[in-house]
Amino acid sequence: MDDGLQSWGRYPTAQQSLLRLRDRFAPLPAFDGHALPRGNGRSYGDVCLDDGGTLLDVRGLDRFIDFDPATGVLRCEAGMLLGTILELLVPRGWFLPVVPGTCFVTVGGAIANDVHGKNHHAVGSFSCHVQCFELLRSDGTRRVCSLNENADWFAATVGGLGLTGLITWVELQLRPVAGAWFDTETRRFDRLDDFFELSETSARSFEYTVAWVDCTTRGSALGRGVFSRANHCAAPPTAKLPREGRLRMPVVSPFSLVNGPTLRVFNWQHFHRAPKTLQQSPQHYRPWLFPLDGIRDWNRMYGPRGFLQYQCVLPPAVARDGMRELLERIAASGQGSFLAVLKQFGAIVSPGLLSFPRPGTTLALDFANRGRVTFELLDRLDDIVVAAGGAVYPAKDARMSGERFRTYFPAWRQFEAFIDPAFSSGFWRRVMQ
Amino acid sequence: MNGRRILIVGATSAIAEATARLYAVRGDALFLVARDARRVQAVAEDLRVRGAASVQTGTLDVADFAAHADTIESACAALGGLDIVLIAHGTLPDQSRCESDTDLALREFAINGTATIALASRIARKLEAQGSGTLAVISSVAGDRGRASNYLYGSAKAAVSAYLSGLRQRLSAPDINVLTIKPGFVDTPMTAAFRKGALWAKPEQIARGIVRAIDRRRGVVYLPWFWRPIMFTIRAIPESLFRRIRL
C-alpha cells in the first residue's frame, strides 16, 4: 500500500505523516509544523515530499462535479486522475486538451506542476486550459482563481508546486475528438539536425510530435532517434482495442537493470527496428500517449537507489548547439537511459509564474542513481543549460542548486509572497538555501 | 442488467460510494441517504456525471429511529420501487471508551446494530410486498466472534449477521435475496488510525465484490475471500484457548 513516503524517482526519501482529505467543503485538518498537498506522487524528485512535515493526500477528493456535454466544460475535485476522466469522457467524444506521459496524475498535480504534453507546440501547457479553480488556504480562506478573478493567485498557483494552498476543485475546458484513436506516423532519423527539420515541417499539420533520442551514440550518429507525429482520429475500421497493461515490476530490482550494456543493446535495437521512412499506423490513445503506464511500478527497475530524471529546455536560438553539447556530454558519461525524449515547445506562453514550458527544445531522460558520478554529470548539464539561458523542470528535479533554480525562474521573488505560511516542501527548502 | 432502482443508506461511506460508482456507470437510478446533506450532494453530483440514470438524495441520522419510515417511503416513492438496497452506514467505536462509558456503548450499538436491524426489517416488508429485490447489508468479520480489541462493534455486527441469516430463511422467495457482506480490514476513513498491513483491502476492491455478490444472488460473502478461511479458523479455536490469547 502506498505510504506516500517517496516520489516516483524513489529518490530522495523523506519522513512525513499523511492526512487524507475526503470532503472538499471541510477546512484543512490540523497538523503540526508544515504541510504540503499531495496528489498521486508521480513527480520525480522532492516537489511532492515534505520531510518532517505532513502530506495532505487529496486522492480522496476524486469526485466529478459537473460536465456539460454541449460545451465540454468539466468541473471535478482536485484529486481526480486524468486517466479516470479519459476513461469516462472519451467514449462521449471529449478528450483532455493536454496530457503528460502518464495518466496516473491528479488534476491538482497537473496544475501545480503546469504539465505539458506532446502537443505543446499546438495548444500550450495544461494550465492554458484551466478555466478556474478554488484555492483553500491554511487560514481557512477560499478563493476562486481564474485569468479574470484573483488573477495574481491564479498565476502563482499554476506551476506553484502546491505551495500557495490546496486546490479543492478545478474547471477544465475539454476538446472534442472523433474517437479514442490516433493517426500516427513514425520514422527514424540519423542526426540531431533531422529532428529539428522534422519538428518544423510537422508542427503545422500535426498536433502531437515527439522524438525518442539515442543518448549513447556519438560522432556522426550523435542525436539519432525515432520521430513520431500524430493527430486524433476516429476508430479505424480494423481497430483492435489494446490489451489492458497487466505487466508489473513486482519487486525493486537489487541493482539497476538500466546500465551501460543493457542500454546500448536496447537503444541499438530500438533505433534499427524503427522504419527508415515515414510509416503510418493507427494507435489507441493509451499505448500512444502513455506507453509506460502499461508496466506498473516500472520505477522499480532502477534498483534500490532509485533514479533521477532530468528535463531541461533551451531557447530556440541556441537549441541546436546546446542539445548537441548536452547529448555529447551524456553519451561520453555512459549514463542515461532508454527513456530519452526530445520535443519542440511552441510559442504559447504558460500562465504560471513558475511554469516550466517556454519556447525552445526540451530534452528529458532518466539516470539511474549511481551516486556522486550521476550528481556531477547533472551539474555539468546544468552548466550548459545556464549558459544557454534555459531552465530545468522542478517536477523532475531532486538536486539542482538554489542558485541555479533562481536563475532559471527569476519570478520566484514575486511567487514567494503567495506561499501559504503553513506550507512547504523538500524542494522549496532546498532551492531557497 | 441496468436501469435498476437502488437505495443506499450510509452513502457517503467509502465502501458505499465506491459501490455506487459501479452502479452509476451501469446507468442505474440511485437514491442516496446519509447524515451530511452537503457531502451526500457531492456524491450525487459525481454519480450523475459518471452516468447514473438519476440520483436523488435524502438525509437521515440512523440513530433517529422515528425518521426511518419516512426516509424509506420517500426513497420508494422517488424510485418507484426498490431493486437493490444497500445498508452501509456505520462507525468504529473506541472499544476502551465503551468499556468505561456504558451510555456510549449503547449509542454505538444502536448505530451499528439496532438501527441496521430496524432499517432491514422495514425494507424487508417492502421487498416482500413487491415480491422481488435484494437487501444487501454490510456486516463485518468482527461479528463472527467477539474479540477483546473490538467486541462492542463485534457484538452489534453479530446481531446484524444473525438477524439477516434468519431474514434470509424467512424470505426464501425466488426473486428476493438477502446478502450479508462481511468485509475484513478496509482502508477507509473509519480505519484511518490503524497501521495497514498485507490483509488490508481498498474500498474499490470491496465494492467490486459487493456488486458481484449481489449479481450472483449470494447469501453471505466475505471480502476479500480469504477472510472466510481466516474466520473459520478463528471460530474453531476452543473457548478455553481463545480466552487466553489476544486478537
Side-chain angles (χ1 to χ4, degrees):
Chain A
M1 218 156 281
D2 183 6
D3 52 11
L5 297 184
Q6 284 183 323
S7 62
W8 191 245
R10 310 187 66 253
Y11 174 87
T13 49
Q15 289 298 321
Q16 58 225 327
S17 47
L18 196 69
L19 281 176
R20 299 197 198 176
L21 312 188
R22 267 180 62 79
D23 178 3
R24 71 172 183 271
F25 305 106
L28 290 180
F31 51 84
D32 294 328
H34 43 83
L36 179 71
R38 164 129 170 160
N40 209 28
R42 286 298 177 118
S43 48
Y44 291 80
D46 50 5
V47 297
C48 66
L49 299 176
D50 186 18
D51 199 16
T54 299
L55 295 176
L56 304 172
D57 181 354
V58 304
R59 287 175 298 183
L61 299 178
D62 64 343
R63 295 175 195 90
F64 291 103
I65 299 172
D66 191 32
F67 177 65
D68 183 344
T71 61
V73 173
L74 171 72
R75 189 181 279 210
C76 63
E77 293 180 346
M80 173 68 69
L81 292 179
L82 300 189
T84 309
I85 296 175
L86 293 175
E87 209 176 295
L88 186 77
L89 297 179
V90 171
R92 300 186 202 173
W94 294 93
F95 214 87
L96 285 162
V98 171
V99 290
T102 169
C103 68
F104 298 123
V105 300
T106 62
V107 172
I111 293 175
N113 294 287
D114 197 9
V115 301
H116 57 272
K118 299 174 175 67
N119 59 351
H120 181 273
H121 65 278
V123 304
S125 67
F126 189 86
S127 298
C128 295
H129 308 273
V130 173
Q131 307 263 356
C132 57
F133 53 78
E134 183 187 69
L135 187 69
L136 169 59
R137 300 268 291 178
S138 63
D139 62 9
T141 54
R142 290 171 189 260
R143 285 182 184 83
V144 174
C145 307
S146 70
L147 287 177
N148 307 314
E149 193 181 357
N150 293 310
D152 50 345
W153 288 94
F154 184 86
T157 302
V158 158
L161 308 173
L163 296 165
T164 62
L166 183 106
I167 301 173
T168 56
W169 57 259
V170 177
E171 195 172 283
L172 298 171
Q173 175 66 58
L174 306 188
R175 50 157 298 163
V177 286
W181 291 72
F182 281 90
D183 261 332
T184 74
E185 294 186 8
T186 302
R187 61 158 279 198
R188 68 197 205 200
F189 56 90
D190 299 316
R191 286 180 308 274
L192 190 58
D193 283 339
D194 297 349
F195 159 77
F196 286 96
E197 271 142 44
L198 280 164
S199 296
E200 202 176 315
T201 54
S202 308
R204 216 157 316 159
S205 43
F206 290 87
E207 190 184 328
Y208 296 77
T209 68
V210 70
W212 168 84
V213 63
D214 185 344
C215 65
T216 61
T217 50
R218 308 175 68 179
S220 62
L222 179 87
R224 73 178 184 187
V226 179
F227 186 84
S228 306
R229 58 193 193 185
N231 285 315
H232 286 280
C233 71
T238 55
K240 268 188 288 184
L241 273 177
R243 279 172 298 154
E244 279 281 342
R246 278 287 157 261
L247 292 175
R248 171 162 216 235
M249 187 73 197
V251 290
V252 178
S253 165
F255 56 91
S256 174
L257 299 175
V258 183
N259 50 45
T262 60
L263 186 58
R264 275 190 295 278
V265 170
F266 176 90
N267 279 14
W268 188 88
Q269 211 189 14
H270 188 72
F271 178 78
H272 285 95
R273 279 173 59 181
K276 281 189 182 141
T277 53
L278 279 171
Q279 193 177 308
Q280 291 188 312
S281 81
Q283 285 199 50
H284 190 270
Y285 77 82
R286 265 189 267 122
W288 157 251
L289 291 173
F290 315 117
L292 281 169
D293 286 351
I295 309 165
R296 305 262 162 172
D297 298 326
W298 62 262
N299 56 344
R300 293 173 167 177
M301 75 181 175
Y302 283 99
R305 299 166 80 179
F307 69 100
L308 296 133
Q309 258 257 342
Y310 189 81
Q311 181 167 0
C312 62
V313 55
L314 304 183
V318 294
R320 285 187 194 227
D321 292 342
M323 279 300 156
R324 192 165 290 119
E325 222 181 314
L326 287 170
L327 287 169
E328 284 207 35
R329 176 73 74 165
I330 294 162
S333 76
Q335 301 189 58
S337 77
F338 319 140
L339 313 164
V341 173
L342 265 178
K343 158 86 197 148
Q344 283 290 55
F345 279 153
I348 300 173
V349 179
S350 305
L353 290 177
L354 300 187
S355 286
F356 167 73
R358 59 197 72 185
T361 307
T362 183
L363 169 69
L365 71 170
D366 300 341
F367 295 91
N369 178 12
R370 293 204 228 152
R372 206 166 51 87
V373 289
T374 307
F375 285 84
E376 260 169 26
L377 169 67
L378 298 185
D379 282 343
R380 297 294 79 78
L381 300 184
D382 266 357
D383 293 342
I384 300 169
V385 175
V386 167
V392 167
Y393 193 6
K396 299 191 172 179
D397 179 71
R399 33 64 51 192
M400 74 168 116
S401 73
E403 189 195 334
R404 292 268 155 95
F405 169 78
R406 297 190 293 268
T407 309
Y408 297 146
F409 296 92
W412 70 274
R413 280 184 197 284
Q414 291 147 267
F415 174 76
E416 239 187 345
F418 294 92
I419 297 178
D420 190 304
F423 282 21
S424 184
S425 70
F427 176 86
W428 194 253
R429 290 190 293 275
R430 176 162 61 78
V431 300
M432 283 297 113
Q433 272 173 15
Chain B
M1 270 189 295
N2 56 20
R4 289 172 306 182
R5 300 159 298 181
I6 300 171
L7 164 63
I8 301 180
V9 179
T12 54
S13 88
I15 293 174
E17 186 173 2
T19 309
R21 286 179 181 181
L22 298 176
Y23 286 126
V25 170
R26 289 184 175 188
D28 293 331
L30 293 122
F31 194 100
L32 311 178
V33 174
R35 197 169 30 165
D36 184 328
R38 208 171 46 178
R39 286 185 58 205
V40 76
Q41 202 51 53
V43 176
E45 285 164 352
D46 174 67
L47 300 178
R48 282 185 199 114
V49 177
R50 285 177 196 264
S54 66
V55 188
Q56 289 157 289
T57 61
T59 52
L60 173 70
D61 181 345
V62 295
D64 180 8
F65 289 82
H68 287 194
D70 279 354
T71 302
I72 292 168
E73 284 307 326
S74 59
C76 264
L79 290 170
L82 297 172
D83 296 317
I84 297 170
V85 180
L86 175 65
I87 303 181
H89 72 267
T91 56
L92 190 58
D94 182 327
Q95 178 59 37
S96 58
R97 279 188 57 210
C98 287
E99 282 156 20
S100 56
D101 182 345
T102 304
D103 290 337
L104 174 69
L106 291 177
R107 277 201 304 279
E108 294 286 4
F109 194 96
I111 291 169
N112 293 294
T114 325
T116 307
I117 289 169
L119 287 163
S121 91
R122 289 181 191 281
I123 288 158
R125 285 198 290 278
K126 286 276 173 203
L127 301 188
E128 218 175 358
Q130 283 180 179
S132 67
T134 295
L135 170 61
V137 181
I138 300 187
S139 182
S140 170
V141 295
D144 279 14
R145 192 160 191 180
R147 291 169 297 119
S149 58
N150 70 344
Y151 61 88
L152 191 281
Y153 180 73
S155 60
K157 290 299 193 181
V160 168
S161 293
Y163 182 88
L164 294 172
S165 169
L167 187 64
R168 187 160 37 244
Q169 275 195 323
R170 175 163 81 82
L171 298 179
S172 67
D175 290 328
I176 298 183
N177 187 40
V178 176
L179 169 66
T180 311
I181 301 156
K182 296 185 178 179
F185 299 141
V186 189
D187 185 7
T188 68
M190 196 169 94
T191 57
F194 289 74
R195 280 191 73 84
K196 313 290 191 290
L199 293 177
W200 287 77
K202 292 274 183 200
E204 292 75 23
Q205 194 183 343
I206 303 299
R208 286 193 295 273
I210 290 174
V211 170
R212 201 182 316 120
I214 290 173
D215 286 347
R216 294 181 183 175
R217 310 182 58 77
R218 299 272 302 278
V220 178
V221 64
Y222 285 82
L223 295 173
W225 63 271
F226 55 75
W227 284 97
R228 188 181 286 273
I230 291 173
M231 295 319 294
F232 179 83
T233 311
I234 289 177
R235 279 198 313 273
I237 300 171
E239 196 63 32
S240 55
L241 175 61
F242 196 72
R243 66 195 296 176
R244 276 176 289 159
I245 57 181
R246 279 287 168 270
L247 280 173

